Amino acid sequence: MNQRPALDLSALPTFGHGPRSPTWWGTLGFMALEGTGFALAAGAYLYLATLWPNWRLSAPQPNHWPGTIVTLLLIVSLVPNHILNGYAKQCAMRPVRIGMVVMSLLGLAPLIVRWFEFPALNIYWDTNAYGSMLWVLLGLHTTHLITDVGDTIVLMVLMFTHHGYSGRRFGDVGDNVFYWDFVVLTWIPIYLLIYWLPRLG
Amino acid sequence: MSSADLTSERDLPPEREASAKGDVAPERDGPRDTGMDDASLHRWLTRTWRTPPGIIGALSSVDHKVIARRYLITAFLFLCLGGLNAVVMRIQLSGPRRGLIGPDLYNQLFTMHGVTMMFLFAVPIVQATGIYLVPLMVGTRNIAFPRLNAFSYWVYVSGGLFAWVSFALSMAPDVGWFAYVPLSGPEYGPGKRADVWAQMITYTEVSSLAVAVATIVTIFKQRAPGMSLDKIPLYVWSLLVTSFVVVFAMPAVMITSTFLILDRLVGTHIFNPAEGGDALLFQHLFWFFGHPEVYIIFLPATGMVSAIIPAFARRPVFGHLGLVLSLIAVGFLSFGLWVHHMFATGLPKLGASFFTASSMMIAIPNGVQIFCWLATLWDGRPVIRTPLLFVFGFFFIFVIGGLTGVMLASVPLDLQVHDTYFVVAHFHYVLIGGAVFPLLGAAYFWFPKITGRMMSERLGRWHFWLALIGFNAAFFPMHIVGLWGMPRRVYTYPAELGWGNINLFITAGAVLFFLSFVLFAFNLIHGALKGAPAGDNPWDAGTLEWATSSPPPSYNFARIPVVTNVEPLWAEPQALPVATGLRADVRELLISTVAEAHPDIREKSATPSIWPLLAAIAVGGTFLYSIFTPWAIVWGAAPIAVTLIGWFWPKGDPEDEE
């Protein structure tokens, strides 16, 4: 059909940070669905815990120390994570590169400690349903931890190449910061469920 | 509509200055569409947006229309397969003690019928329709995250192939489409059949979730300038609400199937009551997904009805706001109904009452929708064409299904007819009436846009009456035989029960219904090859997909439309206002703000890539291998990581760099 020009878009920018960018919304969408997965897994655990009067089913208490160290590391990592976000918004290459190296290391550190969390549960997944749910919750979060650390490392390498000098890549750094917040935030309730709920019973 | 409703273009904000601070390479500018004549613009955009030639090119396509066409055809093929399942079952049941098939094959048949219709036909086809139409209706050039969209198709196809190859190997799931434990658990479900169910679910849900996120972001961020929330077409609203329901419901079934496969494969005890687990937990998790699933299928169908009715009633829909609010209300309420599938499990009475109340409550917003449509037709000057006939069929069948739904919401009645053919009749009335009839109407309505040709109106009417009569002949008597006590999922019955004649009648109806689809398939093929040319807007409808040619060019719109009304083409019949200033040499599209759709960013859309296919093969292979050993997840991680890095790593296209 016939057209008449009514609006000029030529002066618009070619990228935007945060909620201005579709990628940010996509990340939020994936957080929503993964968060639902976490909530349902936690709900299943609580459902079973309320069903059986002697929850923990006579298993020994988990050793919370590796989990507590992971929690502390994750919380501490939020500080550089948000400093990095500020530099990504300014598209400042040098501090962003440093920030990405720091965040890669701060991603690997809890992952290493996480290795020691599984034996510290003091029960196997096939011993009883309590053990199964502990492994499921920890496994679910570990999957997220691994994928986000992998993503962070790839993006870090990318930022050291010439491809990094692009508004989009700085936007990707911002979204990576956003997703790391999600990985840290989802850990807190799972940490409490795994290590502290069994101590109530 | 009055002129006071129209937003003037002057209300749109002035453009912002491009920000070029920081360590960002300056934009390498190219030719813009401003002032370019139509022929050169077409040449530029065609070169920029085309799908590359050759087999690799076709496999690399990220055009939402190409992906959607593949989705639609694949889903239609699965409909045919699921329909053939049903015909075989009906022939077996057409008389007492028929020996056509035995109980083992029958179990696989009804499971494959349910799984195919729900996961491989219904959800994919409503999402595929959205993949095709949503970008056109919101006035953009491609779906958000086009490579993710391509990936979702390949994962869906591999899930479907996986299920049907298993069926060919007599390895298909035989535990019903909802695969309750303990029947599907390690103790009673030997072999790989239940594992096939579990992993096939995972494939298709990954695919649906990816499409849902892409759809939400397209609707939030890629609407044409001026298309504020109140000017979004109802069909697009329905897809938005549906996608949100997908995002919050589908993870539940992925959790369910993952827990099941863990119990079966590595010996967890999540559903094992002997070791502190619980079998009912499976039902809770499954139906937390399963009930919203019905609305995932039904809501887009209501969106189709809301698109078809104004086009043929020749007036904007009555109660636009009421319809939007109803869609949202149904979306929320759909999460509060799941326990009504579990009334026969001995849950506490108080809990059951709550779910009875909410099951009845959802009839309210659905009723509001029906009355708004009736008011639109009442006040309009309806032109009766095939799409509208199917809408009438939808009213008739869906209202009956809704009424038996209200009956089933009361616990005493539900307990009596639980797992009988009464329930089978109810949900086929709801699903076929509520979703398949609108879908068939939508097929006739949008076929001209997709192919550029019309389907035959004469054959369409034959199709409609054959489908309506065949459907009711097949499913209405099921209410009666259900009340007589015939249970579902039995492969035969003795002659003494006296169910023979009515079952023969049902089978005849089912064959008639099946033949209506044969006629439909013929009409589709005939229309695509020999139909009359359709032109841009054969129905003189008002939404943006009709503003472009039929079929639309790869770039959808030569210039992005500027929206001033909920029916933009009716508001601006002389000349459509458009925006200029986008680049023609790279895949540029407009990102706008969420609520007001103010123009915000000129963003580059992703170029074709083979990596989504490779990533889907890696993911699919991992899922397949994982029914045999949990180590598949470890070994599969490497190829998945490699393909994902290949997917995201910039290849030097301008689209990647800016």
Side-chain angles (χ1 to χ4, degrees):
Chain A
M1 70 188 284
N2 293 329
Q3 302 180 341
R4 59 184 172 85
L7 186 69
D8 181 24
L9 308 171
S10 55
L12 292 182
T14 55
F15 64 91
H17 282 278
R20 286 180 67 195
S21 133
T23 319
W24 185 90
W25 286 93
T27 312
L28 187 66
F30 278 97
M31 285 179 190
L33 69 93
E34 288 161 26
T36 308
F38 276 115
L40 287 164
Y45 175 82
L46 289 171
Y47 175 93
L48 292 177
T50 51
L51 207 62
W52 300 92
N54 60 334
W55 186 242
R56 199 141 58 77
L57 306 170
S58 325
Q61 281 189 354
N63 169 12
H64 74 85
W65 279 108
T68 305
I69 293 169
V70 166
T71 313
L72 292 174
L73 282 170
L74 288 177
I75 291 173
V76 166
S77 73
L78 289 178
V79 179
N81 198 37
H82 280 263
I83 297 175
L84 172 60
N85 195 31
Y87 287 119
K89 270 190 195 151
Q90 298 162 18
C91 300
M93 185 54 93
R94 229 181 105 79
V96 163
R97 282 179 175 168
I98 296 169
M100 287 304 290
V101 174
V102 171
M103 284 316 296
S104 300
L105 294 173
L106 278 175
L108 286 170
L111 206 50
I112 293 167
V113 187
R114 175 60 54 86
W115 185 259
F116 298 96
E117 271 194 73
F118 287 96
L121 296 175
N122 288 329
I123 190 166
Y124 282 107
W125 64 88
D126 56 359
T127 310
N128 57 31
Y130 159 78
S132 308
M133 287 312 301
L134 250 47
W135 279 76
V136 162
L137 288 171
L138 196 58
L140 194 59
H141 190 264
T142 307
T143 317
H144 282 74
L145 201 54
I146 292 173
T147 44
D148 197 27
V149 171
D151 186 60
T152 308
I153 292 171
V154 172
L155 191 57
M156 173 192 76
V157 175
L158 193 56
M159 292 312 285
F160 278 90
T161 69
H162 69 276
H163 297 297
Y165 293 94
S166 130
R168 268 206 164 182
R169 295 290 93 78
F170 287 108
D172 291 345
V173 173
D175 293 330
N176 197 56
V177 165
F178 186 37
Y179 195 79
W180 183 253
D181 283 350
F182 171 73
V183 171
V184 175
L185 212 68
T186 47
W187 172 244
I188 309 294
I190 290 182
Y191 167 70
L192 295 174
L193 279 182
I194 292 180
Y195 296 104
W196 299 98
L197 188 88
R199 287 180 155 76
L200 295 176
Chain B
M1 75 202 95
S2 74
S3 60
D5 294 338
L6 307 181
T7 309
S8 155
E9 293 99 48
R10 288 193 306 276
D11 295 346
L12 300 169
E15 304 80 23
R16 287 170 211 166
E17 284 299 307
S19 56
K21 59 184 168 99
D23 298 322
V24 176
E27 184 187 2
R28 278 168 292 174
D29 209 349
R32 304 286 183 111
D33 60 10
T34 318
M36 202 184 266
D37 66 272
D38 288 353
S40 340
L41 181 59
H42 174 71
R43 267 201 308 281
W44 270 108
L45 290 175
T46 306
R47 212 186 65 179
T48 306
W49 286 88
R50 74 191 174 123
T51 291
I55 180 84
I56 299 292
L59 297 176
S60 308
S61 179
V62 292
D63 184 335
H64 73 101
K65 299 177 292 301
V66 174
I67 307 289
R69 263 200 321 260
R70 291 176 187 164
Y71 248 116
L72 290 169
I73 292 169
T74 314
F76 187 72
L77 291 176
F78 281 122
L79 170 74
C80 296
L81 289 172
L84 284 170
N85 280 162
V87 169
V88 176
M89 285 190 287
R90 276 322 312 173
I91 294 174
Q92 164 68 16
L93 291 177
S94 61
R97 294 225 183 278
R98 280 213 200 291
L100 180 67
I101 40 182
D104 181 66
L105 181 58
Y106 193 86
N107 288 349
Q108 292 184 63
L109 280 172
F110 72 68
T111 305
M112 283 303 286
H113 173 71
V115 163
T116 302
M117 290 305 195
M118 294 303 266
F119 297 114
L120 300 176
F121 163 66
V123 176
I125 206 155
V126 295
Q127 288 195 315
T129 316
I131 293 170
Y132 197 98
L133 291 171
V134 164
L136 289 167
M137 286 178 119
V138 302
T140 187
R141 284 178 170 162
N142 204 351
I143 196 166
F145 317 126
R147 290 181 183 173
L148 184 67
N149 188 39
F151 171 77
S152 81
Y153 173 72
W154 299 119
V155 172
Y156 156 63
V157 174
S158 41
L161 281 177
F162 173 50
W164 275 87
V165 170
S166 304
F167 182 65
L169 300 175
S170 189
M171 204 175 90
D174 56 353
V175 286
W177 83 278
F178 42 66
Y180 281 173
V181 291
L183 182 64
S184 62
E187 216 171 328
Y188 298 96
K192 289 293 166 201
R193 288 177 168 182
D195 301 298
V196 172
W197 179 86
Q199 280 317 59
M200 179 269 181
I201 297 287
T202 313
Y203 280 96
T204 50
E205 306 314 284
V206 164
S207 147
S208 306
L209 284 163
V211 175
V213 171
T215 306
I216 291 173
V217 176
T218 308
I219 300 171
F220 272 1
K221 295 299 290 178
Q222 292 188 193
R223 299 201 307 279
M227 189 184 279
S228 47
L229 292 179
D230 58 327
K231 295 192 189 68
I232 298 179
L234 282 164
Y235 174 74
V236 176
W237 265 114
S238 75
L239 259 288
L240 181 65
V241 175
T242 304
S243 302
F244 271 103
V245 176
V246 169
V247 162
F248 292 110
M250 295 258 180
V253 73
M254 283 186 69
I255 291 273
T256 320
S257 63
T258 307
F259 283 3
L260 178 65
I261 210 159
L262 286 174
D263 270 14
R264 293 178 55 88
L265 205 61
V266 298
T268 55
H269 297 287
I270 300 165
F271 300 130
N272 177 10
E275 292 291 350
D278 184 52
L280 265 193
L281 175 61
F282 182 97
Q283 296 193 23
H284 280 297
L285 286 171
F286 183 85
W287 288 114
F288 186 79
F289 143 81
H291 198 83
E293 164 89 345
V294 176
Y295 290 92
I296 289 166
I297 297 166
F298 172 64
L299 284 174
T302 67
M304 292 166 186
V305 172
S306 294
I308 293 171
I309 285 185
F312 291 99
R314 311 303 309 148
R315 59 150 287 159
V317 79
F318 173 85
H320 185 92
L321 180 63
L323 283 165
V324 172
L325 292 177
S326 297
L327 283 170
I328 297 171
V330 172
F332 274 104
L333 288 173
S334 71
F335 284 93
L337 306 178
W338 83 91
V339 171
H340 77 209
H341 297 268
M342 299 165 60
F343 281 160
T345 58
L347 291 166
K349 291 279 178 292
L350 185 67
S353 309
F354 171 82
F355 285 95
T356 294
S358 62
S359 305
M360 292 185 174
M361 196 154 75
I362 202 161
I364 298 171
N366 282 324
V368 168
Q369 296 202 66
I370 302 251
F371 285 115
C372 285
W373 292 322
L374 290 178
T376 311
L377 287 166
W378 184 268
D379 189 58
R381 279 164 285 124
V383 184
I384 314 276
R385 302 291 293 272
T386 308
L388 195 60
L389 280 180
F390 276 100
V391 168
F392 292 155
F394 152 75
F395 284 156
F396 178 72
I397 298 174
F398 180 71
V399 166
I400 296 177
L403 287 175
T404 51
V406 175
M407 287 164 73
L408 285 169
S410 73
V411 179
L413 188 123
D414 184 85
L415 283 176
Q416 284 302 314
V417 297
H418 182 78
D419 264 350
T420 68
Y421 265 86
F422 189 86
V423 175
V424 176
H426 159 70
F427 67 70
H428 282 92
Y429 265 79
V430 173
L431 290 170
I432 296 183
V436 176
F437 270 70
L439 257 170
L440 291 170
Y444 283 89
F445 186 61
W446 279 300
F447 182 86
K449 181 49 64 186
I450 298 176
T451 62
R453 291 177 185 276
M454 306 294 287
M455 286 170 80
S456 157
E457 185 69 21
R458 216 164 86 95
L459 287 179
R461 283 166 195 260
W462 272 95
H463 172 205
F464 169 71
W465 287 109
L466 205 56
L468 188 75
I469 294 167
F471 171 81
N472 283 294
F475 291 98
F476 195 81
M478 286 187 191
H479 291 111
I480 300 165
V481 79
L483 291 174
W484 290 350
M486 180 165 170
R488 64 196 283 209
R489 295 174 172 170
V490 287
Y491 81 105
T492 193
Y493 49 89
E496 296 75 33
L497 289 169
W499 299 339
N501 288 340
I502 196 166
N503 270 299
L504 184 62
F505 185 85
I506 291 172
T507 300
V511 170
L512 210 59
F513 192 47
F514 185 79
L515 287 178
S516 80
F517 279 91
V518 175
L519 189 62
F520 176 57
F522 175 78
N523 203 357
L524 283 173
I525 296 165
H526 184 263
L529 298 176
K530 297 202 173 129
D536 293 359
N537 191 358
W539 315 112
D540 191 24
T543 40
L544 285 178
E545 78 274 28
W546 304 105
T548 185
S549 60
S550 309
S554 54
Y555 49 87
N556 288 357
F557 299 95
R559 293 186 174 88
I560 305 293
V562 175
V563 173
T564 56
N565 187 282
V566 69
E567 304 276 4
L569 307 196
W570 289 351
E572 307 275 355
Q574 267 77 44
L576 191 69
V578 292
T580 58
L582 292 185
R583 277 173 68 176
D585 64 327
V586 290
R587 297 184 166 219
E588 208 162 64
L589 44 75
L590 177 69
I591 301 300
S592 46
T593 57
V594 174
E596 296 295 325
H598 288 150
D600 193 25
I601 300 171
R602 290 181 291 124
E603 201 175 71
K604 312 290 183 290
S605 182
T607 48
S609 166
I610 192 73
W611 287 101
L613 171 61
L614 301 179
I617 292 172
V619 169
T622 305
F623 286 161
L624 174 63
Y625 192 23
S626 74
I627 72 170
F628 300 104
T629 163
W631 291 103
I633 306 301
V634 177
W635 300 126
I640 291 176
V642 168
T643 49
L644 290 183
I645 292 169
W647 174 343
F648 288 110
W649 197 268
K651 316 291 186 303
D653 297 330
E655 280 84 352
D656 286 333
E657 300 300 331
E658 283 158 10

